[in-house]
Structure formats: structure tokens, C-alpha cells
């Protein structure tokens, strides 16, 4: 049964299967068109954040989407210029100019390829579910708050237009799903704006659209160690942020589509896409959660066709049909992104019933992830903070599972005194749980022979070995002998290798 489902999902994501099915091909084509329309204002706004010409962001979105469609590991995921990458590389543009920025993007791509080849994608297994939920909820909040500037200080007509756009996307799918509801909303609101000559902000107000195709470009920077020192820190930060966002987004799409993707391929695919983007004068990027949700969740796309067409349509729209695209009211795109934020939010995770049932530590991890992400506008920072919080919470919880118990005395000497005392240690022993172990023994009143039974415990780190050495030393200073018994093979090997070699000199 599981194999059949897996095969079904694989077929669903197949390009050839989509090409043979007119219905599915239409879904992929229309999804790509909707994503391309949504990418335009985003790419322009991210270009402004990075301090570059809008064309740099738009060309980056085109080259990223087209390249990742071929080399990426997650079908139907959209990669383009992003705010997180723009924030990281903006200082390079301010201090050194466009050529250094492009060199940084190319080096970041190379680093992403190297990191992926050495297995950084496997670290995804260490990201807990609560961090993933926080990541998703933070994205929903960021997508929504990014629309607020488009709703402030605008003509009153913008508000009913946004409301109409949202209503179309809520109610149209109940009647028909032949055409993606976001595309219908964009077309109808654009037509209404033109027919009634409505004076509302449009895409053209966001920035100048390019009138020519991107061309091959080699950054004009000195190929010296000094240049490497300048760009390397920013390139590494860009590579890590891009990989983290892309792999997290890929995992989210896996969950939505109930399918599995090749995270290692996705990682080096992002690197290849950034290298290509740099050589075409783009600002670099990574996976885009908002546009990916439009593609996968709102439009129902499942293959690389939609990703490729999103990039192709973007180029056609901004270069060939720029005058028409410039007339699209921002209200239509704001409505689309508001619905994306609503659909992205994990509402179940913040329901009172769920919060009451969920352990406090899990909720705290989710809230930390959300808070840091929203405060910094950087998903990487939020995820790192969430993982660190989860690690601390886990260590605190596990530390309380350790206990020491006196299980009896043995070997009465010829004077009738107790000769041996046995302690039983239970639990997982590591730096957090073993710190208090040294205080659990009666060094003064215990007899001269001590047996510490570790058959129900496991030694995980050097801190525990150091603690056991400290216990032994304390007893020996009072003329008493300690014997540690019951260690499993791994614990015994670790203890034998480190014991006696950890004390400071």
C-alpha cells in the first residue's frame, strides 16, 4: 500500500505525466503565470532593500527560477530573489558596489555546492517539529506585514479592491477550480482599474521594469586575497541563509504534497542557481515561501514545469509586456499575498485546545522561533534560535531523568561493621544531567568500599567521565576504594579512554 502511494506521488510530480495530461498541464501553466505576476513587486522591493536597480532583482528571479527548475531537488518549489538574501548582501552593495555584490553571490553559490556535497542537508533531521511550526507561522506573519505598507496612505478605493480580490479567492474555488483563483482576481481587478480609470497604485509605481534581456557578466573585481577577505564573510552568510530557507521550505512542501524530495540535490541546486544568477548580473536568492505556497497550495502545481514557466513568464512579462504589467493594481497582488499568509499559518498550532494540550517547552520553542524571525525579518536567525531553545529544553528535561539510589550494603567485616555500600545510577548521563551527580554520595559516612552500579545508565560525554573521576577522587582522598560496574560496551569504551586524562594540570 505504502509503495503504491509513493509511486502515485512520484507520478504526480513527473514532468512527462503532466505533459501528457492537458488538465494537469493547464494547471502547471496557469500556476506559473500567477507566480510570475506575484514575483514582480516582490523582486522590485527586494532590490530596493539590497540597494540595487530593480532589474538586478527581476533578472535574479528569472535566472533562479529557470535554473532551479532543472537542477533543484524539490519539484514545484519557487526560487527567486528574496528579502533574507537582500538583507545579508546589502552592506556589500553600500560599501563596495555592484561588482563586489555579484562576486559575493557567485562565491555564495560555490559555497552552497560545497556544503551540500559534504552533507549539510542531513542536519535537517535535527530541526524539531515545533521549530518547523514556528517557521511556518513566522512566514505567515512576515508575508502579511509586508503588505501593510501597500495599505497605508493609499486612496480609499484600494480597500474595497483588496476585499473583492479576497472574496474572489475565497468563493471561486467552491464553484470551479479550472483557473487558479488568484489569476482570476488579478485579471478582473486589472480590467476594472482600466475600464473605470481608477487612480490606485500599480506595479509600475514600484520601480522601472527592464526593457532588455539579461546578459552574461563577469564582475570587475581584482582576483586577489584582499577581495576574498571582503566578500567571503558575506558569501558564507548568504550561503547559509539561502540553504536554511530553501531546505526548510522544501520540507514544508514535502508535508503539503505528501511526497519526499532530495534535500542534498536541492542544496547544490541552489548553489548552481546562484552561480548562474551571479554571472547574469543578478542579486542571488533562494526558495521563496510565499510564491511556493501560491504555486503548490493555491494553484495546485506539482512539477518543475510551473517553476520553469514562472521564470519564463516573468521575463516575458517584464521585458515584452512591461507596459501592460505596470498597470496591474497593487491591490490585486496584496489580496493574493494576504490569502497566501492566511493559508500558510498553522491555525491548529495556536488554537486554545492545542496550546492547553501541548507541553510548555514545545510552545516556547515555537514562540521563540516566531518572535526572533519577526523581529529580525530573518528566517535563519529564527530557526537557529528555535533549535537552540529546543536543545536547552531537551537537556533540561532529560537531566531530571537521572537518579542515584542506595540499594543496600554488603560484606560485613569481622567487627560487624558494613564493609561495602552499593549505589545504583539510572538515566542518561551527559553534561546537563551529570553535573549534580557528585553531590549524591555520602563521602564521609560511607564504608571503605563503594560500588557504583551503572547497568541502568549510559555515559554520553567527557563531562560525565570527569564527574565519575571527581567522585572517585573524593572517596580516595578519604582512604576509600570505588569500583564502577555494569557499564554497557559504548560507555565502558568511553570511560576507559578518557578516565584519568581529563583533570586540569
Amino acid at each position: 500500500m505504502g509503495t503504491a502511494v509513493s509511486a502515485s506521488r512520484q507520478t504526480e510530480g513527473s514532468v512527462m505525466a503532466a505533459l501528457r495530461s492537458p488538465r494537469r498541464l493547464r494547471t502547471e501553466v496557469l500556476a506559473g503565470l500567477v507566480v510570475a505576476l506575484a514575483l514582480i513587486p516582490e523582486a522590485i522591493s527586494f532590490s530596493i532593500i539590497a540597494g540595487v536597480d530593480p532589474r538586478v532583482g527581476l533578472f535574479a528571479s528569472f535566472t533562479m527560477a529557470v535554473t532551479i527548475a532543472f537542477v533543484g531537488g524539490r519539484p514545484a518549489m519557487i526560487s527567486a530573489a528574496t528579502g533574507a538574501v537582500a538583507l545579508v548582501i546589502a552592506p556589500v552593495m553600500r560599501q563596495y558596489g555592484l561588482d563586489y555584490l555579484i562576486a559575493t553571490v557567485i562565491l555564495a553559490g560555490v559555497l552552497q555546492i560545497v556544503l551540500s556535497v559534504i552533507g549539510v542537508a542531513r542536519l535537517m533531521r535535527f530541526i524539531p517539529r515545533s521549530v518547523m511550526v514556528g517557521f511556518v507561522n513566522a512566514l505567515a506573519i512576515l508575508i502579511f506585514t509586508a503588505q501593510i505598507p501597500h495599505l497605508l496612505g493609499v486612496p480609499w478605493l484600494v480597500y474595497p479592491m483588496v476585499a473583492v480580490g479576497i472574496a474572489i479567492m475565497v468563493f471561486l474555488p467552491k464553484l470551479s477550480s479550472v483557473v487558479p483563483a488568484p489569476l482570476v482576481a488579478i485579471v478582473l481587478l486589472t480590467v476594472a482599474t482600466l475600464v473605470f480609470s481608477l487612480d490606485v497604485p500599480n506595479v509600475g509605481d514600484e520601480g522601472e521594469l527592464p526593457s532588455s534581456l539579461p546578459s552574461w557578466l563577469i564582475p570587475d573585481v581584482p582576483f586577489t586575497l584582499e577581495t576574498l577577505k571582503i566578500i567571503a564573510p558575506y558569501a558564507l552568510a548568504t550561503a547559509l541563509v539561502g540553504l536554511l530557507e530553501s531546505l526548510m521550505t522544501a520540507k514544508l512542501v514535502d508535508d503539503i504534497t505528501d511526497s519526499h524530495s532530495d534535500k542534498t540535490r536541492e542544496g547544490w541546486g541552489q548553489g548552481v542557481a546562484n552561480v548562474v544568477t551571479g554571472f547574469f548580473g543578478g542579486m542571488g536568492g533562494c526558495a521563496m515561501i510565499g510564491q511556493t505556497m501560491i504555486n503548490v497550495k493555491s494553484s495546485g502545481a506539482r512539477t518543475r514545469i510551473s517553476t520553469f514557466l514562472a521564470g519564463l513568464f516573468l521575463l516575458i512579462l517584464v521585458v515584452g509586456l512591461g507596459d501592460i504589467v505596470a498597470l496591474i493594481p497593487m491591490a490585486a497582488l496584496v489580496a493574493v499575498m494576504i490569502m497566501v499568509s492566511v493559508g500558510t499559518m498553522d491555525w491548529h498550532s495556536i488554537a486554545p485546545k492545542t496550546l492547553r494540550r501541548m507541553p510548555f517547552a514545545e510552545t516556547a520553542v515555537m514562540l521563540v522561533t516566531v518572535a526572533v524571525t519577526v523581529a529580525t525579518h530573518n528566517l535563519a536567525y529564527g530557526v537557529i534560535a528555535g533549535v537552540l531553545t529546543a536543545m536547552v529544553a531537551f537537556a533540561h528535561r532529560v537531566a531530571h531523568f537521572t537518579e542515584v539510589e542506595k540499594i543496600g550494603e554488603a560484606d560485613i567485616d569481622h567487627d560487624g561493621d558494613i564493609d561495602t555500600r552499593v549505589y545504583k545510577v539510572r538515566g542518561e548521563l551527559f553534561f546537563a544531567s551529570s553535573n549534580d551527580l557528585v553531590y549524591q554520595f555520602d563521602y564521609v559516612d560511607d564504608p571503605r568500599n563503594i560500588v557504583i552500579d551503572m547497568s541502568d545508565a549510559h555515559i554520553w560525554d567527557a563531562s560525565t567521565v570527569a564527574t565519575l573521576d571527581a567522585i572517585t577522587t573524593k572517596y580516595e582522598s578519604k582512604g576509600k576504594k570505588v569500583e564502577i560496574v555494569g557499564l554497557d560496551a559504548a560507555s565502558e569504551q568511553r570511560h576507559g579512554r578518557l578516565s584519568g586524562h581529563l583533570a586540569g594540570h
Side-chain angles (χ1 to χ4, degrees):
M1 179 66 180
T3 305
V5 172
S6 176
S8 172
R9 297 298 179 191
Q10 191 173 9
T11 302
E12 187 180 53
S14 166
V15 170
M16 292 308 298
L19 290 174
R20 287 194 293 265
S21 169
R23 180 182 62 82
R24 288 184 55 196
L25 183 59
R26 182 183 66 238
T27 298
E28 299 292 321
V29 171
L30 294 178
L33 179 57
V34 175
V35 170
L37 291 169
L39 276 173
I40 295 170
E42 295 274 298
I44 294 173
S45 63
F46 296 149
S47 299
I48 294 170
I49 291 173
V52 298
D53 188 281
R55 286 173 294 186
V56 177
L58 289 166
F59 287 158
S61 295
F62 158 67
T63 53
M64 287 291 297
V66 169
T67 305
I68 206 69
F70 291 97
V71 299
R74 172 65 262 178
M77 196 165 80
I78 304 297
S79 292
T82 59
V85 169
L87 286 169
V88 174
I89 62 174
V92 181
M93 182 64 192
R94 285 196 301 268
Q95 295 178 46
Y96 304 103
L98 183 61
D99 284 299
Y100 277 85
L101 180 144
I102 293 171
T104 301
V105 171
I106 295 170
L107 180 58
V110 173
L111 290 174
Q112 286 179 326
I113 295 172
V114 172
L115 289 170
S116 299
V117 169
I118 64 178
V120 74
R122 288 194 291 271
L123 296 177
M124 286 297 296
R125 72 182 68 179
F126 296 107
I127 297 180
R129 181 187 177 278
S130 50
V131 173
M132 193 70 197
V133 172
F135 168 80
V136 170
N137 291 343
L139 285 171
I141 294 170
L142 288 178
I143 291 170
F144 180 81
T145 55
Q147 311 315 310
I148 293 176
H150 300 297
L151 298 173
L152 299 176
V154 294
W156 69 270
L157 278 171
V158 169
Y159 303 111
M161 290 179 70
V162 170
V164 169
I166 291 174
I168 291 172
M169 286 179 280
V170 170
F171 295 108
L172 181 61
K174 300 179 187 299
L175 303 175
S176 172
S177 58
V178 174
V179 180
L183 180 58
V184 174
I186 292 170
V187 170
L188 290 182
L189 289 175
T190 303
V191 170
T193 300
L194 297 177
V195 170
F196 298 105
S197 301
L198 302 179
D199 185 17
V200 292
N202 57 34
V203 171
D205 297 328
E206 297 296 301
E208 183 182 356
L209 299 178
S211 57
S212 61
L213 296 173
S215 56
W216 185 260
L217 173 68
I218 296 177
D220 184 16
V221 298
F223 290 90
T224 63
L225 186 60
E226 187 62 31
T227 300
L228 185 62
K229 288 180 180 178
I230 292 172
I231 68 175
Y234 297 102
L236 180 59
T238 301
L240 293 175
V241 167
L243 279 177
L244 187 56
E245 289 205 33
S246 299
L247 295 176
M248 291 287 282
T249 304
K251 190 172 186 298
L252 177 61
V253 178
D254 286 354
D255 293 340
I256 292 172
T257 60
D258 194 22
S259 60
H260 178 70
S261 60
D262 186 339
K263 303 300 186 301
T264 297
R265 177 177 173 179
E266 182 60 39
W268 63 255
Q270 291 288 332
V272 172
N274 272 304
V275 170
V276 172
T277 296
F279 280 119
F280 277 97
M283 58 179 273
C286 60
M288 294 193 76
I289 183 66
Q291 277 64 25
T292 297
M293 289 298 99
I294 292 175
N295 196 46
V296 175
K297 209 166 185 180
S298 302
S299 303
R302 291 293 182 271
T303 76
R304 300 174 185 274
I305 296 173
S306 58
T307 306
F308 172 77
L309 290 179
L312 184 61
F313 282 146
L314 174 66
L315 189 66
I316 293 171
L317 288 170
V318 299
V319 175
L321 303 173
D323 293 339
I324 297 174
V325 171
L327 300 175
I328 296 175
M330 285 302 299
L333 298 175
V334 168
V336 171
M337 297 312 292
I338 288 175
M339 288 303 296
V340 168
S341 71
V342 171
T344 301
M345 175 70 76
D346 186 345
W347 297 101
H348 175 73
S349 69
I350 58 174
K353 183 186 297 185
T354 304
L355 293 175
R356 284 194 299 269
R357 182 179 295 113
M358 194 68 64
F360 174 77
E362 300 285 327
T363 302
V365 169
M366 186 263 285
L367 292 176
V368 166
T369 305
V370 172
V372 173
T373 301
V374 173
T376 63
H377 283 238
N378 191 314
L379 292 163
Y381 290 160
V383 171
I384 291 169
V387 170
L388 290 175
T389 304
M391 289 170 61
V392 171
F394 175 76
H396 182 266
R397 187 164 61 250
V398 173
H400 288 76
F401 291 160
T402 303
E403 62 176 354
V404 178
E405 179 188 359
K406 292 181 186 178
I407 62 171
E409 294 86 17
D411 296 341
I412 307 299
D413 63 15
H414 62 275
D415 293 324
D417 295 327
I418 297 169
D419 185 60
T420 302
R421 173 158 289 154
V422 180
Y423 286 91
K424 182 82 168 180
V425 180
R426 297 184 179 89
E428 303 300 319
L429 300 175
F430 62 111
F431 61 90
S433 61
S434 63
N435 278 338
D436 291 334
L437 200 62
V438 71
Y439 305 114
Q440 307 301 313
F441 298 85
D442 190 351
Y443 302 100
V444 175
D445 296 328
D446 274 346
R448 60 176 175 267
N449 292 309
I450 307 298
V451 175
I452 302 177
D453 183 356
M454 304 281 288
S455 55
D456 289 338
H458 186 88
I459 297 174
W460 286 102
D461 61 4
S463 296
T464 302
V465 177
T467 299
L468 292 174
D469 283 355
I471 293 169
T472 302
T473 301
K474 276 180 172 290
Y475 274 117
E476 288 177 347
S477 69
K478 301 185 183 305
K480 300 174 183 181
K481 180 183 177 183
V482 177
E483 183 183 5
I484 298 174
V485 300
L487 290 172
D488 59 44
S491 298
E492 187 169 11
Q493 182 184 28
R494 186 172 287 112
H495 183 264
R497 187 172 67 249
L498 298 176
S499 181
H501 301 285
L502 298 173
H505 297 287

